[in-house]
Amino acid sequence: MTVRIAMWSGPRNISTAMMRSFGSRPDCTVSDEPFYGAYLKATGFKHPMADAIIADMDCDWRSVARAMNGNPASGEAIWYQKHMPSEMVGAVGIQDLTAHRHAFLIRDPERMIASYAKKMEAVSFEDMGLERLHLYFRMEADRLGHAPPVVEGADILDAPGLMLEKLCDALDIPWDPAMLEWEEGPRDTDGVWAPHWYGRVEQSTGFEGDDRGKVEISDQYRALADRCRPHYEALRAHRLIL
């Protein structure tokens, strides 16, 4: 039986590196933001490469949900799905991914916004997705009767082996040290938007960098970060720790 993992996060949140990590397991296949095309088609938002994304993807919300609840064509035992709550504005939501083990990846809002602003002309509260991320966490906690796993990107960068082992334990899958490194370059499983967003991760071979230092952000975006922060802190209170 396939174990389907839905990892929910905001943008610019080491989410692609996490997808690389799980994709390096021989027992795992990955899907990259499968609802992105439906989101762009429904909203008309002009994200970078929007036309190419819509042309490349299944843009029917319910059809995508059915596929994500099915089995991977390649037959791996684990199916890691990278999801953005900001893209779930149509007819479906977390409640429609019924065959999944859900987890939540977080990052300090100021860092998310500063990184996102380098790739987008404007940044909105909705783009960050933290309000819906918090809502989905509460929905899943209510369904389970306990908090689902939450991981902070900075903690993974600090101690990738220990934190990923704890995450695997929380997801009830075996830990595999293969998750700590991967070959550089693009992947067939990357979204068509990879040329705009994935430059740094395509050059990586493992978890790199420090996410603890000071970040510079404009007053406008600091106010946005302050609006996001209560949702982030509520999630952070449940994060896996060493």
Side-chain angles (χ1 to χ4, degrees):
M1 183 178 71
T2 299
V3 175
R4 299 166 195 82
I5 297 169
M7 179 62 79
W8 298 92
S9 76
R12 313 307 288 171
N13 217 354
I14 75 161
S15 56
T16 308
M18 287 289 285
M19 185 173 69
R20 286 283 190 275
S21 174
F22 274 84
S24 68
R25 298 176 59 119
D27 61 351
C28 184
T29 191
V30 301
S31 289
D32 191 5
E33 297 181 45
F35 290 98
Y36 194 15
Y39 163 75
L40 291 175
K41 185 174 182 179
T43 62
F45 290 160
K46 294 304 180 184
H47 282 201
M49 303 183 66
D51 291 343
I53 294 166
I54 291 169
D56 184 69
M57 300 187 75
D58 182 351
C59 294
D60 180 275
W61 299 99
R62 292 180 176 85
S63 173
V64 177
R66 285 195 298 271
M68 294 302 103
N69 281 315
N71 292 310
S74 46
E76 284 85 355
I78 299 172
W79 188 0
Y80 182 90
Q81 300 172 12
K82 172 187 165 190
H83 292 296
M84 298 281 174
S86 58
E87 296 167 3
M88 306 295 283
V89 297
V92 297
I94 190 174
Q95 70 279 0
D96 295 285
L97 298 182
T98 56
H100 293 65
R101 301 175 190 179
H102 297 274
F104 298 81
L105 175 64
I106 59 172
R107 188 186 190 191
D108 183 275
E110 289 189 5
R111 296 183 176 281
M112 289 174 60
I113 293 165
S115 180
Y116 194 73
K118 294 176 181 178
K119 297 287 187 178
M120 298 288 286
E121 293 183 1
V123 185
S124 71
F125 179 71
E126 290 73 23
D127 289 335
M128 295 300 95
L130 279 165
E131 183 175 40
R132 188 174 284 116
L133 189 71
H134 186 196
L135 170 64
Y136 283 1
F137 170 84
R138 296 197 307 270
M139 291 172 65
E140 181 64 3
D142 287 345
R143 186 183 75 86
L144 294 174
H146 59 82
V150 178
V151 285
E152 174 116 40
D155 293 337
I156 292 173
L157 293 177
D158 285 348
L162 294 173
M163 289 306 304
L164 289 171
E165 187 171 2
K166 288 187 73 71
L167 175 60
C168 288
D169 184 61
L171 290 168
D172 196 22
I173 61 172
W175 157 242
D176 188 336
M179 297 174 70
L180 293 175
E181 57 184 11
W182 50 84
E183 294 185 4
E184 65 178 275
R187 300 288 189 276
D188 291 341
T189 49
D190 290 346
V192 69
W193 54 89
H196 182 81
W197 294 99
Y198 292 176
R200 183 174 178 183
V201 79
E202 285 180 359
Q203 298 173 15
S204 71
T205 58
F207 290 100
E208 303 171 348
D210 178 4
D211 211 37
R212 303 287 186 185
K214 187 176 181 180
V215 63
E216 296 297 328
I217 191 170
S218 69
D219 290 342
Q220 173 193 0
Y221 286 152
R222 194 173 302 281
L224 174 57
D226 289 344
R227 186 180 174 192
C228 292
R229 187 160 298 281
H231 301 291
Y232 163 74
E233 295 292 351
L235 290 162
R236 189 172 186 271
H238 295 279
R239 79 191 194 282
L240 300 176
I241 57 176
L242 295 177

